[in-house]
Amino acid sequence: MKYVRLMILLLPVLLVTLACKSAPTASEEPPAESLTTPSQTITQPDQASLSALDQSVADLERLRQFAIDIEGPSWFPDQWDTAEAQYNEAKSKTRRDTPEQVKAAAAANNTAAASFQSLIDQSLPLYAQVREDQIISVREDALAAGIGDLAPDYLLMADKTVLEAQTKYEDKDYYGAIASAFQAVDMYEALVDGCTAYYVRQEIEDRDFIRYDPENFDRADEAGLSAIADYEAMDPESAKEKAEEARLRYNLVLNTGWQSYAAEKGAASADKRQEALKLKANVAVRSDFEAASRIFDQGNSAFKAEDYPAAADFFVDAESRFITIRGIAEQKRQAAENAIRKADEKMVESEANAEKAEAILGGGSL
């Protein structure tokens, strides 16, 4: 009995001891494979997916820029807004840590790219038509300026550039086509300025106006020759600038020439008017003198308004009239002097005859 009681008393202690022995110690760690489950494994995107994503980004940027270059936003603003919203959405997907993120970013890029491509498909024919209309217009300007007669070979050079633009467009080299189209426009515009400059130069020579501004005339010649060299070297932009400079300088010479010429004719007309006045033409041929004076006044008004060609024309007309009027006044004056002289001669003769008659009546001898 005593042993039974002892066993009963020691049973809790034995149970606690056994429990402590069966439990793992605090320093023991569970097996490594129990820390990670298959669902927690992180997969990295492969290089092919990343490269495809980079390509989609580059394609999107290229299509967007081309849509801008052909003025897509102006042609179809609603489509542009839609594509631009998709573009901004694609740009916001910057994470590429997992295959899912890479896939989502590429899909967003492709969606925006498709919208820009649709916009391009609609805009490109309209943009091409604008370029074609511009080329036709400046070519007609060049023909109207006289390039067909003056330098047909230069016209042919510009026409060939247009054909190059058309070929590139058909080959879908759109940027090359655009560059050639603008080059052709510059060439035609250079031809317009060149023709205009040439014909102004001819007028300067025909009117002998070089003497009024020889410095600008020489500088215009230099610019014109340099423009021709640049055009032949297929640098139409520079040729256009220099041809325009030549045209502007020739026009300065022409304007200076007209101003100086008109001033000369105005002074000459004033001199002839004064000579007519000295001969009393305002009395002798009053109506003609007044008419010439009105034209002379019109010349002065035109000169003040800087309409020198008109002023020169008025002065030349007035000068011619004053010369004629002076001649008429001179003739009338000469006629009057002759009449007075003849009257005086007759008076002398009459006095002599009277003296003879008195002598006869007085019984004197002859």
Side-chain angles (χ1 to χ4, degrees):
M1 241 359 231
K2 181 169 68 171
Y3 292 108
V4 172
R5 273 194 217 129
L6 181 61
M7 291 296 294
I8 292 173
L9 290 174
L10 292 176
L11 183 60
V13 176
L14 293 172
L15 292 174
V16 170
T17 301
L18 292 173
C20 292
K21 287 184 178 181
S22 62
T25 61
S27 60
E28 292 180 356
E29 295 182 0
E33 58 271 14
S34 66
L35 294 177
T36 305
T37 63
S39 62
Q40 295 176 317
T41 301
I42 299 176
T43 305
Q44 298 293 328
D46 58 72
Q47 187 58 47
S49 298
L50 292 173
S51 297
L53 176 58
D54 291 337
Q55 186 61 52
S56 70
V57 171
D59 290 341
L60 175 58
E61 295 293 345
R62 174 179 55 81
L63 291 171
R64 180 177 182 272
Q65 186 59 53
F66 187 57
I68 293 172
D69 292 339
I70 62 173
E71 303 175 8
S74 300
W75 300 116
F76 301 100
D78 292 340
Q79 288 89 326
W80 168 261
D81 290 341
T82 298
E84 192 71 352
Q86 294 172 344
Y87 171 78
N88 291 329
E89 173 66 20
K91 295 290 287 184
S92 70
K93 296 183 180 301
T94 59
R95 298 290 298 275
R96 50 171 66 192
D97 300 326
T98 66
E100 290 75 15
Q101 291 173 345
V102 171
K103 184 178 180 181
N109 288 333
N110 293 336
T111 298
S115 294
F116 283 120
Q117 184 63 62
S118 176
L119 177 62
I120 289 169
D121 292 341
Q122 297 177 76
S123 303
L124 187 58
L126 300 177
Y127 181 81
Q129 187 62 54
V130 170
R131 298 281 72 79
E132 181 180 344
D133 293 343
Q134 183 184 23
I135 288 171
I136 291 172
S137 177
V138 294
R139 187 179 190 276
E140 290 177 349
D141 291 342
L143 289 172
I147 190 62
D149 296 327
L150 187 61
D153 290 344
Y154 290 161
L155 177 64
L156 182 60
M157 289 176 64
D159 289 344
K160 287 181 177 179
T161 304
V162 175
L163 293 177
E164 290 175 4
Q166 180 64 31
T167 300
K168 291 175 182 177
Y169 184 85
E170 293 172 353
D171 292 340
K172 297 185 179 181
D173 177 11
Y174 298 125
Y175 276 115
I178 291 170
S180 292
F182 279 117
Q183 185 179 40
V185 169
D186 285 341
M187 293 176 79
Y188 288 125
E189 290 181 344
L191 294 178
V192 171
D193 284 332
C195 286
T196 304
Y198 174 81
Y199 288 117
V200 173
R201 187 183 190 281
Q202 288 295 102
E203 183 177 358
I204 292 169
E205 286 193 322
D206 292 344
R207 296 184 181 279
D208 193 25
F209 282 175
I210 298 175
R211 57 195 172 96
Y212 296 120
D213 193 358
E215 181 179 352
N216 262 323
F217 186 83
D218 290 341
R219 294 178 68 179
D221 274 355
E222 291 175 4
L225 292 173
S226 183
I228 292 172
D230 287 344
Y231 188 91
E232 292 175 345
M234 292 301 293
D235 186 358
E237 186 174 355
S238 178
K240 177 184 172 183
E241 292 177 359
K242 292 175 181 177
E244 184 177 2
E245 179 188 352
R247 177 179 60 82
L248 291 173
R249 288 192 180 279
Y250 284 133
N251 277 321
L252 283 174
V253 176
L254 184 63
N255 189 63
T256 299
W258 274 117
Q259 181 180 8
S260 302
Y261 176 71
E264 288 178 359
K265 301 315 292 183
S269 181
D271 289 342
K272 301 307 178 190
R273 183 178 185 275
Q274 191 62 34
E275 290 175 6
L277 281 172
K278 289 179 179 179
L279 295 172
K280 307 296 183 182
N282 57 320
V283 176
V285 277
R286 181 178 178 180
S287 61
D288 291 341
F289 183 85
E290 289 178 349
S293 293
R294 284 193 295 270
I295 294 173
F296 178 76
D297 291 338
Q298 287 178 300
N300 283 325
S301 297
F303 193 90
K304 290 178 182 178
E306 298 184 359
D307 187 357
Y308 303 121
D313 288 341
F314 284 128
F315 287 141
V316 169
D317 187 11
E319 180 185 7
S320 176
R321 289 171 181 262
F322 285 131
I323 291 174
T324 301
I325 291 169
R326 184 193 63 181
I328 295 172
E330 180 67 29
Q331 291 176 358
K332 288 190 174 183
R333 177 180 179 180
Q334 189 65 42
E337 290 177 349
N338 290 338
I340 292 172
R341 179 176 54 77
K342 289 180 180 180
D344 289 342
E345 290 175 352
K346 287 182 179 181
M347 185 178 296
V348 170
E349 183 180 352
S350 295
E351 290 177 353
N353 290 335
E355 291 176 356
K356 287 180 181 181
E358 287 178 359
I360 291 170
L361 293 173
S365 60
L366 296 173

